[in-house]
Amino acid sequence: MKVIRVVLACLVMTAIFAACGNDDEEPAATAAATASSPTPTATPCSVPNASTEAQSTESTGAPAPVTDVKYTAEGCPRITFEFDTQAPGYLVEYASPPFSMCGMEGDFVPEGWGTDAYLRIQLQPALIFRIDEGATYDGPRDIPIDGNVLKHLKFCYENEAMVEWIVGLDDRHDLSVRVLDQPARLVIDISESA
């Protein structure tokens, strides 16, 4: 009996040492497999249900005061217009310069933006200035961004309850336009892939 126990103990110890010996070889094989695996590359982001076609909706409500303009240039670029009450109707479309300035003679032609495409964003009925209260939006009206896709935002026009912004992009991209609540806002998502 004692001999059987000694033999069993030796067999167990041999198995343990064999397993420890394999531990040294296993990581090397794993490291070799990891080293030969291709490094993942970043892919351009894509926006669902996006296109280069003009997108629009109408609204007959009271003019919506623009309170903020935000953007994100990283990943899929996003432009957001926030409103005091409800979101207005909109037209978001690709357009070609020159773009006329609000009530001014001549034309506004963007220069030095590094752009090959322009979005015209018209908000109607909307406003950024109330005669009795002053500006509803007091942020910048000429915003250089210089992202990979999103290059520039510029306020272009306000007249007869219509507000217009021009957006400079590196090229034409598919985009998606949505109206969201709390706060009321118009969100334009731009696909990074052309």
Side-chain angles (χ1 to χ4, degrees):
M1 221 28 138
K2 198 174 196 177
V3 172
I4 293 173
R5 285 186 191 157
V6 170
V7 170
L8 284 174
C10 287
L11 288 174
V12 169
M13 293 303 283
T14 302
I16 291 172
F17 289 133
C20 290
N22 287 342
D23 282 348
D24 289 341
E25 294 170 17
E26 192 88 29
T30 303
T34 303
S36 65
S37 298
T39 304
T41 57
T43 57
C45 64
S46 179
V47 175
N49 304 316
S51 77
T52 57
E53 297 298 315
Q55 299 181 44
S56 65
T57 189
E58 293 184 9
S59 173
T60 56
V66 178
T67 57
D68 204 357
V69 178
K70 300 177 181 177
Y71 68 88
T72 303
E74 301 300 319
C76 279
R78 171 177 285 181
I79 305 164
T80 304
F81 293 88
E82 288 189 6
F83 306 95
D84 185 36
T85 51
Q86 77 287 346
Y90 61 83
L91 169 63
V92 179
E93 65 180 351
Y94 282 98
S96 298
F99 303 105
S100 51
M101 289 292 284
C102 164
M104 298 174 71
E105 293 293 325
D107 294 313
F108 160 67
V109 180
E111 293 180 11
W113 286 7
T115 57
D116 284 329
Y118 300 93
L119 278 179
R120 178 187 358 245
I121 302 169
Q122 292 179 340
L123 310 170
Q124 187 174 24
L127 54 88
I128 62 170
F129 186 85
R130 288 182 172 139
I131 294 174
D132 55 339
E133 298 176 25
T136 64
Y137 169 71
D138 59 2
R141 296 182 181 204
D142 189 359
I143 308 170
I145 298 165
D146 200 29
N148 289 336
V149 172
L150 187 57
K151 300 293 186 180
H152 211 105
L153 296 172
K154 184 168 180 66
F155 168 77
C156 190
Y157 188 90
E158 179 189 14
N159 192 28
E160 297 180 0
M162 184 177 76
V163 172
E164 181 173 289
W165 284 72
I166 298 299
V167 177
L169 302 174
D170 70 321
D171 203 348
R172 283 185 173 233
H173 294 266
D174 290 338
L175 54 97
S176 170
V177 182
R178 298 175 293 149
V179 173
L180 301 174
D181 294 321
Q182 300 178 350
R185 59 203 186 278
L186 179 73
V187 177
I188 302 162
D189 287 312
I190 303 166
S191 177
E192 191 178 11
S193 55

